[in-house]
Amino acid sequence: MNTQYTNTILLIRHGENLANVTGEFSYKRVDYSLTAKGVLQAQQTATHLRDQHIDEFFSSPLKRARETAEIIAEPHQLPVALYEEFREVNVGDLEDAAPTAENWDYHNSIVAEWYHGRLDASFPNGESFLTLTERGKRGLHKVTWGKQGRVIAIAGHAAIFTALVSAICGPESLETIRRGKKHNCSISEIELATSEHDVVGRLVQWAACAHLSGEAANFVPAVPEFKKQAEEIIQ
């Protein structure tokens, strides 16, 4: 008999951090805390989700995600468990590179390869779409296997969330994902079916941010706007 568990997953992008402002590539070595605006974004998200039933909170180990998760989890009086699987995409050598227009163009060219179906294209000494999504799927499997009907919040990063949702929610989700702006503290929701060896999702909501207002809704561009980009990826 095939065992399957179904749970609701809330994917919450972290609040603003300094790397969003400076355009730095940030995977592991570059690890900033939230800015004052990022804290405000997390606080408004916490208020928005305060009365929603949430059973568990998980987070990427990066400071910007962990701090966001802790602020949102506080009204629920729940701990935040850190999972390496939800860390941002490994951009490899780019993390030691200056955030110039040329380096961002190179970054975006790798992502464009993914959009065009070349999923094994990888950042030098970093991840491909395939390795990134397999990592994320392992994380989802770990936090959902053996659980049924739970609401699970995960604070993390737009690049891994974008790739992961596109991988598990099927081609019908792609247009919604590509159109949506993955702003800081935006919330995506998926219904996730977990079997022994796989996770499959249904996209319910993508990158909602209407709960943010005032200065918190003054979003920093996802990709530094050196020039008009043909393709978009969010850090």
Side-chain angles (χ1 to χ4, degrees):
M1 183 175 67
N2 294 326
T3 302
Q4 183 171 284
Y5 302 98
T6 303
N7 298 278
T8 296
I9 309 296
L10 302 179
L11 301 174
I12 306 170
R13 189 187 176 209
H14 60 80
E16 182 188 275
N17 77 111
L18 184 60
N20 297 135
V21 179
T22 63
E24 291 171 83
F25 300 101
S26 175
Y27 158 66
K28 183 174 286 187
R29 182 183 60 78
V30 177
D31 187 14
Y32 295 121
S33 290
L34 297 176
T35 62
K37 187 199 297 181
V39 171
L40 179 62
Q41 290 168 335
Q43 289 171 337
Q44 290 188 5
T45 306
T47 298
H48 174 66
L49 294 175
R50 179 179 56 204
D51 296 326
Q52 178 167 340
H53 177 77
I54 299 176
D55 293 290
E56 297 176 87
F57 283 87
F58 297 92
S59 175
S60 155
L62 288 163
K63 291 176 184 176
R64 57 192 184 270
R66 173 175 54 80
E67 292 170 4
T68 299
E70 289 171 348
I71 291 170
I72 299 171
E74 195 278 330
H76 299 268
Q77 298 183 313
L78 289 172
V80 175
L82 305 183
Y83 272 61
E84 184 68 25
E85 287 86 352
F86 300 132
R87 182 181 291 276
E88 182 57 297
V89 59
N90 181 356
V91 293
D93 297 342
L94 275 179
E95 191 168 24
D96 294 315
T100 62
E102 290 74 20
N103 285 332
W104 271 102
D105 281 345
Y106 178 69
H107 170 281
N108 294 339
S109 73
I110 299 297
V111 177
E113 293 278 315
W114 298 354
Y115 278 137
H116 289 97
R118 294 181 282 275
L119 305 183
D120 59 347
S122 64
F123 293 99
N125 294 311
E127 290 181 306
S128 69
F129 180 92
L130 295 174
T131 55
L132 173 62
T133 54
E134 283 305 310
R135 167 163 65 86
K137 288 167 70 174
R138 285 197 305 272
L140 287 177
H141 197 276
K142 284 183 179 181
V143 303
T144 57
W145 178 247
K147 302 171 184 177
Q148 177 64 32
R150 297 175 75 80
V151 179
I152 297 170
I154 302 172
H157 312 273
I160 184 171
F161 286 168
T162 301
L164 187 55
V165 172
S166 67
I168 67 174
C169 290
E172 64 273 14
S173 68
L174 294 179
E175 188 58 33
T176 298
I177 292 170
R178 291 181 182 183
R179 284 200 316 267
K181 298 289 186 180
K182 285 78 68 177
H183 292 304
N184 292 113
C185 273
S186 59
I187 304 170
S188 300
E189 179 180 338
I190 58 176
E191 292 298 324
L192 190 75
T194 304
S195 59
E196 186 176 0
H197 299 295
D198 201 8
V199 290
V200 177
R202 180 180 69 85
L203 183 60
V204 177
Q205 173 180 267
W206 178 248
C209 58
H211 60 283
L212 301 173
S213 62
E215 179 61 17
N218 182 17
F219 301 113
V220 173
V223 173
E225 294 183 338
F226 300 109
K227 58 185 177 181
K228 190 71 175 177
Q229 303 292 343
E231 302 286 351
E232 180 186 61
I233 187 71
I234 291 186
Q235 175 167 334

